[in-house]
Amino acid sequence: VEDSNGNTVKLANDYTFIMPASDVTITPAFEKTTGTLYNVGFDSLVNGDVIANSTAVAKNSKVTLKIVPDEGYQLRSITVKDASDKTVALSGTGATRTFTMPASNVTVYTEFEAKQYKVNVSSATGVTITASSTQCAFDTPVTVTAAPSSNYVLLSLKVYGPNTQLLFTDDDNDGEITFDMPSQDVTVKATVKKFHTITIGKVSNGTITASQTTALAGETINLTDSTTEFSYELKTVKVNGEEITGT
């Protein structure tokens, strides 16, 4: 394999290479083999693939199998059997397996299984978060809901991936998100604010009313002097013991 400048691109033992920032030219060279070649066949492959470095192999030659699961899947089992259904010894772990070719055609049997990913729920005061599933496979629909407690209001509901990567948000702010499970664990977080109560204390010779009886921190509350008692006027108004001003 050569890049556009004629430089050789390094090949790994299983005939793979890292693509450079250049077009490449692949030039194969073949030679006539001596002796019998045996075939490497594959049983039906579902949710993944297996690639052999060669499918026509001489006896006692080394065969390398590269295992490529589909997204959200992992290898469950892999077995190689010869023409008499005898198991051929495999070595290696992870994405690569190797075996020595017997004097027989062989078949590679592979089974892939769906990975299970977690739906983590972050606890918070004033809200209850529930998920339709706490562990499921890639692309499975998941619904998460957030129910604020009494005297609390929901500000946001969000789903994060690893490293606090924001994946999904409750754009309607209705306390529910439905999404297809990505191929990673997720964490659900909700933000709430507490309603506080506004109580009018004892008022002598007059009447004070508030624009609302509950409010979130940061909201503006209007107090109105509704006094109708003749010859009295408002002197002071205190909130939690501190005098406030106004007109």
Side-chain angles (χ1 to χ4, degrees):
V1 179
E2 291 184 341
D3 65 17
S4 57
N5 295 317
N7 299 313
T8 299
V9 179
K10 185 178 179 181
L11 275 174
N13 291 335
D14 59 350
Y15 295 106
T16 62
F17 65 93
I18 304 299
M19 189 68 182
S22 163
D23 295 341
V24 298
T25 300
I26 301 173
T27 306
F30 298 92
E31 62 181 358
K32 186 174 179 64
T33 59
T34 58
T36 304
L37 295 181
Y38 299 98
N39 295 325
V40 178
F42 297 89
D43 193 34
S44 56
L45 292 165
V46 180
N47 300 320
D49 197 7
V50 179
I51 303 168
N53 63 327
S54 179
T55 56
V57 187
K59 178 185 175 182
N60 293 328
S61 295
K62 181 180 178 181
V63 179
T64 300
L65 301 175
K66 185 176 181 180
I67 301 162
V68 187
D70 290 346
E71 183 179 4
Y73 287 84
Q74 63 188 3
L75 180 68
R76 182 176 184 180
S77 65
I78 182 167
T79 306
V80 178
K81 292 189 175 183
D82 64 15
S84 61
D85 206 34
K86 182 179 178 181
T87 300
V88 178
L90 277 172
S91 60
T93 58
T96 304
R97 301 290 193 278
T98 60
F99 66 91
T100 301
M101 193 71 181
S104 164
N105 294 335
V106 299
T107 303
V108 181
Y109 298 89
T110 313
E111 185 177 359
F112 295 93
E113 63 183 358
K115 290 183 179 179
Q116 296 294 308
Y117 299 97
K118 294 181 180 179
V119 179
N120 301 303
V121 173
S122 181
S123 60
T125 301
V127 63
T128 300
I129 304 173
T130 56
S132 58
S133 179
T134 57
Q135 185 167 299
C136 57
F138 168 71
D139 229 17
T140 301
V142 180
T143 298
V144 294
T145 58
S149 304
S150 177
N151 293 329
Y152 284 85
V153 62
L154 180 68
L155 298 183
S156 68
L157 178 62
K158 298 179 180 180
V159 179
Y160 296 89
N163 302 317
T164 65
Q165 176 192 7
L166 181 60
L167 300 177
F168 309 101
T169 60
D170 178 15
D171 294 329
D172 299 329
N173 202 35
D174 61 356
E176 182 176 295
I177 303 175
T178 297
F179 60 93
D180 292 332
M181 191 69 184
S183 54
Q184 56 188 336
D185 294 344
V186 300
T187 299
V188 185
K189 294 183 179 180
T191 304
V192 295
K193 252 189 175 182
K194 186 177 182 180
F195 279 111
H196 299 283
T197 302
I198 300 163
T199 303
I200 303 298
K202 183 179 179 181
V203 181
S204 300
N205 303 313
T207 304
I208 293 291
T209 57
S211 57
Q212 55 200 76
T213 57
T214 60
L216 299 173
E219 284 191 85
T220 298
I221 312 302
N222 294 315
L223 301 176
T224 303
D225 173 15
S226 304
T227 300
T228 57
E229 193 76 25
F230 180 69
S231 73
Y232 282 90
E233 64 180 5
L234 182 64
K235 181 179 180 182
T236 60
V237 177
K238 295 182 179 181
V239 176
N240 285 349
E242 294 186 9
E243 187 173 334
I244 62 172
T245 60
T247 57

